[in-house]
Amino acid sequence: MKIKIEEAVAKKYFQHLADRDVYRAPTVLSWLTDYIDSNDEKEVYSLLQKYNGQEAIAGLVDLLEFDDKKLTQSVVHILGTIVEHPSCRQYVLEVPRNTATHGQNNPTLFTALVNMLTSDDKNVVMNAAGTIGNIADSEEGRLWILQQTAFNEALPILGVLAVDTHQWAASNAALVLARLTLSAEGVIKILSHERSNYILANLCISLCGHNPGSSMNAAFAIGRLLEREDARTKLLSMKNFTNTMTALTKMLYNKETGPRKNACFAFSCLASSKEGHTRLLGNINSEMILGQMVRLLTDEDEEVAWFAAVTLRCLCNEKDGIFRLRDHQEVHASLRKVTKGKKLKQDLLTEVNIALSVISRLPKLPAPVLTSLGDSSVSVRWESIIATTGTKVLYQLYQGTTCVYEGRSTSTEVRNLRPFTTYVFRVRAISGSDEGPYSGAALVTTNQGRPGPPNEVTSEGKPQHNSIRISWNPPPNPNGIITAYHIYVNGNRVGVTEADKCNFHVKDLPHSTSVKIQVAGVTKAGEGELTPAITCSTLNLSDFPPKRPILSTSGGANEINVSWIDPPKQLGVIDHYELVIDGEVIYSGKEQSYRVSNLEPLQEYTFNIRVVTSDGYIVESEPAKKKAGSKVVQKGRVSPGSSDDDDDSDEGAKDRAGRPKTNPDQSKVFKPRRSKTAHHSPSSPSVKKNRVKTAV
């Protein structure tokens, strides 16, 4: 029946515990005992969480120091019950190491419990050992115990108590030792203790005693210790270990499930080693042990049956065990009967079949039959065999020297193979420790697959204004025969090369542009994986602009003098310059000045200078604009270097550019044609790869 909480009472009582109020402690402990005994884990956890349980537990621990047996027993009972609840356990385990108050020099909780183990009152001892056992039931609890400074002191005390005449004190002490062996560190602590032989000897004595609780717990502890080689060596060397095996044999016939289970577990651990295997089969009771193990295969408890099957299977790991089981008619007949009886769990059936499979040797199988299913998998099948015992056998399929399948089936599919690769397969039958010979070898080559990405894609040579050259190495994993390579620019395929050509010239790219280039190999299976993209850039012509031309008027209103200087940052060796008026080239040469005449009065003209390098690059300046004057003068074009003193009126004379001089009545006004191509600003200069012809 659940006890309801009165808020005011609970708060007051917990405050008394936090204050270490010894005078009110009996009343508080009586109330708290009734509450935790009557309510489930959820209510207990809620109580601790709501009313500052950490301080209350600390107060309980401090009460253990008082010389009042009734009081301390109540405290230990409360603490032991609380740690049984996983959600509440941390309230006990996280009590500060030193909870002393009011000048008291209290020990830690564990030290207090250890001190209580030596009490003359066996009920106090029983409760203290039970509380430690409850703490040791969880992994965090075991770790907490192993970290206590009083642990080394506690071990031999627990060893003594394991053979105590008080039934429950002995049972609880053996339970603590058994649960400590669940931790590898706990086993190490026991074995490394200066009195480890004494502790192990008392465990064996406890197992052989008449106390069913301590015997059962001791059997489990000994089983856990037998799993370790160093502990097994110590136990097997003890004089009374023969008596221990006799006691375990008797436990196999116990009517209670717990003793049978722990005895089967201990024997399975003993049989798992060569030394234990020999001791078990050489024991005077070995026939009784084998016969009872077979009968326990059908035990009501599944764990008992499984441990019995494991013990028989472990005996098949050594040749003498195989021969012994073959000669033991009861074992063989009973095992076969079990497999034909009621439906068994798969893990139990597996252990039984393995034990049965050792009865006879297995023949050599023919080579397996292989079929390629694609570029990464192969179908394998082989013949089945029937053992002389009539039991099924297991098959092992080996790919080279690696076992890739083990089971009862006579076919399987091997996956995750490499494309276009030859593999060798063999098969054999196994039955326990009886391993049949390998079959003959069978070879198969997987189909071609899509290749992996090519390697080391890089750009080559100097950057160009409209093209990039790249090269690469063949894929490390071609997965077949490479037939071609595909080249991608910004995700679009732009070219194909032959298999033996690992380079490509990407053309028709815009200048001053970065692109992402990838390459993929191609096999019969198709295009493979693309390489990681590399970023390449064409030449940035905007980094090399010439300055805008200098314009001035002199000598006539229809004339403009144009001059220019070398670019501050040159793209390359300058071959010549081009003067462009309104989009039309009117001069091409190496001079850096030019007089333009025959202009339309008051007409505004746009002038640009183009620098042409020896490599054929063309970079254009920003435009400069100027209007022609209004005064009419004799018209004519003047070549570079002409002066205002030239006689332009002589009929038939030629200027320095080789053109006939004309008088105003005969000449035409210069009207530059508008280019169909829009002028490019300096941020995106125009470029032409072909060499421009020099103007006449």
Side-chain angles (χ1 to χ4, degrees):
M1 177 179 177
K2 291 186 178 181
I3 297 179
K4 295 183 179 180
I5 298 178
E6 294 183 14
E7 296 284 340
V9 173
K11 184 176 181 180
K12 179 176 66 174
Y13 283 174
F14 267 67
Q15 187 60 48
H16 290 336
L17 289 176
D19 294 340
R20 279 66 169 174
D21 191 336
V22 179
Y23 299 103
R24 294 183 175 87
T27 302
V28 176
L29 295 179
S30 177
W31 173 83
L32 188 56
T33 300
D34 290 341
Y35 183 84
I36 64 174
D37 286 345
S38 304
N39 290 276
D40 58 20
E41 177 181 352
K42 183 177 179 180
E43 280 77 16
V44 175
Y45 175 77
S46 177
L47 182 72
L48 294 173
Q49 189 178 41
K50 189 172 183 179
Y51 299 106
N52 196 6
Q54 193 73 61
E55 281 297 319
I57 297 296
L60 285 172
V61 174
D62 283 344
L63 291 176
L64 293 174
E65 185 67 11
F66 290 92
D67 189 17
D68 185 330
K69 291 182 180 179
K70 185 176 180 180
L71 186 71
T72 55
Q73 284 191 59
S74 296
V75 171
V76 171
H77 172 74
I78 291 171
L79 293 175
T81 305
I82 289 175
V83 296
E84 285 183 328
H85 302 317
S87 63
C88 304
R89 188 176 295 130
Q90 288 304 115
Y91 280 98
V92 176
L93 300 184
E94 293 178 359
V95 171
R97 282 187 169 275
N98 185 5
T99 59
T101 58
H102 307 298
Q104 299 175 11
N105 186 23
N106 286 349
T108 64
L109 169 61
F110 186 75
T111 301
L113 293 173
V114 172
N115 291 337
M116 294 174 68
L117 293 177
T118 60
S119 173
D120 294 333
D121 189 331
K122 293 302 180 182
N123 288 328
V124 173
V125 175
M126 174 188 69
N127 287 334
T131 299
I132 298 174
N134 287 341
I135 293 174
D137 190 35
S138 66
E139 184 177 354
E140 61 269 29
R142 289 189 289 274
L143 180 61
W144 181 85
I145 291 173
L146 295 172
Q147 292 174 343
Q148 301 301 311
T149 55
F151 178 75
N152 284 337
E153 177 188 349
L155 274 180
I157 297 175
L158 292 168
V160 172
L161 290 175
V163 294
D164 196 273
T165 55
H166 190 278
Q167 179 178 350
W168 287 107
S171 179
N172 286 350
L175 176 66
V176 173
L177 293 172
R179 287 179 173 174
L180 287 176
T181 60
L182 288 169
S183 165
E185 186 179 352
V187 174
I188 294 173
K189 289 267 191 180
I190 293 173
L191 295 177
S192 61
H193 195 277
E194 59 182 359
R195 302 195 66 187
S196 64
N197 288 339
Y198 173 78
I199 297 169
L200 296 180
N202 276 10
L203 276 174
C204 292
I205 295 172
S206 176
L207 190 151
C208 298
H210 299 289
N211 183 340
S214 60
S215 296
M216 179 180 68
N217 292 331
F220 180 84
I222 288 174
R224 290 287 300 176
L225 291 166
L226 285 170
E227 289 182 317
R228 283 183 60 95
E229 183 178 358
D230 47 358
R232 184 169 56 247
T233 301
K234 280 189 174 185
L235 287 169
L236 294 181
S237 64
M238 290 182 175
K239 293 181 179 180
N240 65 344
F241 192 74
T242 299
N243 295 334
T244 302
M245 293 186 64
T246 300
L248 286 172
T249 303
K250 291 180 180 179
M251 290 178 69
L252 289 175
Y253 292 84
N254 197 296
K255 293 181 180 180
E256 298 294 328
T257 299
R260 293 200 310 274
K261 183 189 302 183
N262 286 0
C264 279
F265 169 68
F267 274 124
S268 69
C269 296
L270 179 64
S272 63
S273 68
K274 188 172 183 179
E275 301 86 350
H277 184 279
T278 302
R279 288 291 290 271
L280 195 158
L281 292 179
N283 187 268
I284 191 173
N285 298 314
S286 61
E287 291 297 311
M288 292 178 59
I289 295 171
L290 293 177
Q292 183 63 0
M293 286 293 178
V294 171
R295 287 186 284 275
L296 290 177
L297 291 172
T298 57
D299 194 273
E300 295 177 349
D301 187 90
E302 294 177 353
E303 289 186 331
V304 172
W306 188 79
F307 283 130
V310 170
T311 302
L312 294 174
R313 192 260 304 158
C314 288
L315 291 173
C316 300
N317 291 337
E318 303 291 337
K319 289 184 178 180
D320 54 348
I322 295 174
F323 296 145
R324 184 70 175 272
L325 291 176
R326 285 176 179 173
D327 296 339
H328 197 293
Q329 294 301 319
E330 184 181 356
V331 171
H332 176 261
S334 299
L335 285 173
R336 295 192 64 179
K337 184 178 180 180
V338 168
T339 60
K340 296 179 180 180
K342 66 178 183 178
K343 186 176 181 181
L344 302 177
K345 284 202 168 185
Q346 185 58 45
D347 55 352
L348 174 59
L349 185 61
T350 299
E351 300 292 340
V352 171
N353 283 334
I354 292 176
L356 274 172
S357 65
V358 301
I359 300 300
S360 61
R361 296 289 178 180
L362 303 171
K364 180 178 180 179
L365 290 169
V369 178
L370 309 175
T371 304
S372 178
L373 299 179
D375 62 359
S376 62
S377 60
V378 172
S379 171
V380 188
R381 55 186 175 85
W382 54 88
E383 294 185 9
S384 63
I385 60 172
I386 299 176
T388 56
T389 58
T391 58
K392 293 181 180 180
V393 298
L394 301 176
Y395 299 95
Q396 287 183 334
L397 177 66
Y398 281 80
Q399 174 191 316
T401 58
T402 303
C403 182
V404 295
Y405 170 81
E406 181 174 330
R408 294 187 178 88
S409 177
T410 56
S411 65
T412 189
E413 181 178 338
V414 181
R415 302 177 180 177
N416 300 321
L417 302 177
R418 294 183 62 181
F420 203 58
T421 304
T422 300
Y423 292 93
V424 178
F425 291 93
R426 293 181 176 85
V427 68
R428 69 171 178 178
I430 63 170
S431 180
S433 59
D434 187 12
E435 299 175 347
Y438 291 101
S439 70
L443 283 73
V444 66
T445 300
T446 53
N447 297 340
Q448 292 191 53
R450 297 175 183 270
N455 205 7
E456 298 180 0
V457 180
T458 57
S459 60
E460 291 187 324
K462 295 182 179 180
Q464 302 295 315
H465 73 284
N466 66 346
S467 66
I468 297 170
R469 292 184 181 274
I470 60 169
S471 65
W472 59 89
N473 290 330
N477 299 312
N479 298 332
I481 300 174
I482 298 295
T483 58
Y485 293 98
H486 291 169
I487 295 83
Y488 287 81
V489 174
N490 293 336
N492 300 314
R493 195 169 84 183
V494 298
V496 180
T497 68
E498 297 177 354
D500 59 349
K501 186 179 179 182
C502 292
N503 56 76
F504 186 78
H505 191 186
V506 182
K507 300 179 180 179
D508 299 325
L509 298 174
H511 63 83
S512 310
T513 303
S514 294
V515 295
K516 295 184 181 299
I517 300 178
Q518 295 171 282
V519 181
V522 181
T523 65
K524 183 180 179 180
E527 183 184 272
E529 183 180 352
L530 286 168
T531 61
I534 65 168
T535 301
C536 301
S537 300
T538 54
L539 203 60
N540 190 349
L541 300 184
S542 64
D543 292 338
F544 308 91
K547 290 186 176 297
R548 66 177 65 185
I550 302 169
L551 308 177
S552 63
T553 57
S554 65
N558 61 347
E559 293 181 350
I560 295 179
N561 293 324
V562 186
S563 63
W564 56 90
I565 63 174
D566 290 337
K569 185 178 179 182
Q570 297 187 8
L571 181 61
V573 178
I574 298 175
D575 180 80
H576 65 279
Y577 303 93
E578 293 179 352
L579 175 60
V580 181
I581 300 179
D582 290 344
E584 180 180 359
V585 177
I586 66 165
Y587 167 74
S588 177
K590 297 183 179 292
E591 297 294 335
Q592 291 181 262
S593 63
Y594 194 88
R595 178 182 296 170
V596 183
S597 55
N598 287 345
L599 300 176
E600 189 75 18
L602 300 179
Q603 175 70 41
E604 185 180 73
Y605 294 91
T606 300
F607 298 81
N608 296 78
I609 293 298
R610 291 177 181 171
V611 177
V612 183
T613 69
S614 59
D615 293 328
Y617 294 127
I618 302 175
V619 187
E620 191 170 81
S621 72
E622 292 184 356
K625 296 183 178 182
K626 194 169 183 64
K627 288 184 178 181
S630 59
K631 182 180 179 181
V632 179
V633 298
Q634 186 177 356
K635 298 179 181 180
R637 292 188 179 180
V638 181
S639 63
S642 61
S643 67
D644 295 339
D645 298 328
D646 289 338
D647 185 3
D648 295 333
S649 62
D650 293 339
E651 185 176 352
K654 297 182 179 180
D655 62 13
R656 293 182 182 179
R659 292 183 291 270
K661 293 184 178 181
T662 59
N663 57 44
D665 296 330
Q666 295 174 330
S667 64
K668 296 182 179 179
V669 176
F670 172 68
K671 295 181 180 179
R673 293 170 294 179
R674 297 291 179 182
S675 173
K676 294 181 180 180
T677 303
H679 172 74
H680 294 269
S681 66
S683 62
S684 180
S686 62
V687 63
K688 187 181 295 182
K689 184 63 179 177
N690 296 325
R691 186 69 56 84
V692 178
K693 294 182 180 180
T694 303
V696 178

